[in-house]
Amino acid sequence: MEAWNLQPMDGVTIGLAIVVLILVIRSIALGGKLKKLRKSYTQFTSGSGIEDLEHIIIAMKEKQAHQEQQHAALQQQVEELQRLVKEQKGHVGIHRYNAFSDGGSDLSFSLAILSETEEGLVLSGLHNRENTFVYAKPIRDGNSDYTLTPEEKKAINLALKRE
C-alpha cells in the first residue's frame, strides 16, 4: 500500500492509457464505417452530375412541391368540370300529340330540355290547320311556376327518364 501512496500517478496513467486504447479501437471502427458510408455515397451520387447530396434532395423537394401544385390545380379543374356537367342541359324528352281532335295528326309537341339538377325549359308547339303556336316555360327542380299540361309533364318525365 505504501508503494501506492508513493506513486499515485501511476494508477491514473494506467487508467488513461486504457481509455486511450479504447478510443483508438473505437476510432478505427468508426473509420471503417465511414469508409463504407463514403463508398455508398459515391455510388449513390455517381452518374447524377451532382456531387452534393444536399442539392439532390433540394431538387427533389422542389419537384415534389411543383407536382403538388399541379395536382391541386388539376383537382380544382376536375371539380369545376363536375359542377359544369351537372348544369349542362343534356336531358331531352319530346312528346308528340294531336292537340286538336278536329283533324290532323301528331304535329303538336312538348320538348323538355333539362339539366341533371332538373333545371331548364319545356317548349310546347300547338299545331292546327292554320297556325302553330310555340310556348316556353322555365323549369326549376322539375316543376314550373306556370301550369304544366299533361303533355309537358310527360316530356319532362321522358327527359328525366322517369318513364
Side-chain angles (χ1 to χ4, degrees), residues 21-56:
L21 183 62
I22 291 172
L23 290 175
V24 167
I25 293 170
R26 180 78 175 139
S27 175
I28 291 171
L30 288 176
K33 287 183 180 182
L34 182 60
K35 186 176 180 180
K36 287 180 184 178
L37 183 61
R38 185 171 286 135
K39 184 178 178 182
S40 294
Y41 176 76
T42 305
Q43 287 176 347
F44 180 71
T45 58
S46 67
S48 66
I50 301 173
E51 294 300 321
D52 187 11
L53 185 60
E54 183 178 352
H55 287 92
I56 294 172

Side-chain angles (χ1 to χ4, degrees), residues 8-27:
M9 295 308 286
D10 287 342
V12 173
T13 305
I14 292 172
L16 288 176
I18 292 172
V19 169
V20 168
L21 183 62
I22 291 172
L23 290 175
V24 167
I25 293 170
R26 180 78 175 139
S27 175

Side-chain angles (χ1 to χ4, degrees), residues 101-121:
S101 60
D102 62 345
S105 60
D106 292 345
L107 295 177
S108 297
F109 66 91
S110 290
L111 172 69
I113 304 171
L114 303 171
S115 68
E116 192 172 308
T117 58
E118 299 183 7
E119 295 187 10
L121 63 100

Side-chain angles (χ1 to χ4, degrees), residues 2 20 44 65 81 98 100 110 123 132 134 146-147 150 152:
E2 289 181 29
V20 168
F44 180 71
L81 287 173
N98 186 357
F100 304 104
S110 290
L123 293 172
T132 298
V134 178
Y146 302 97
T147 304
E152 291 168 334

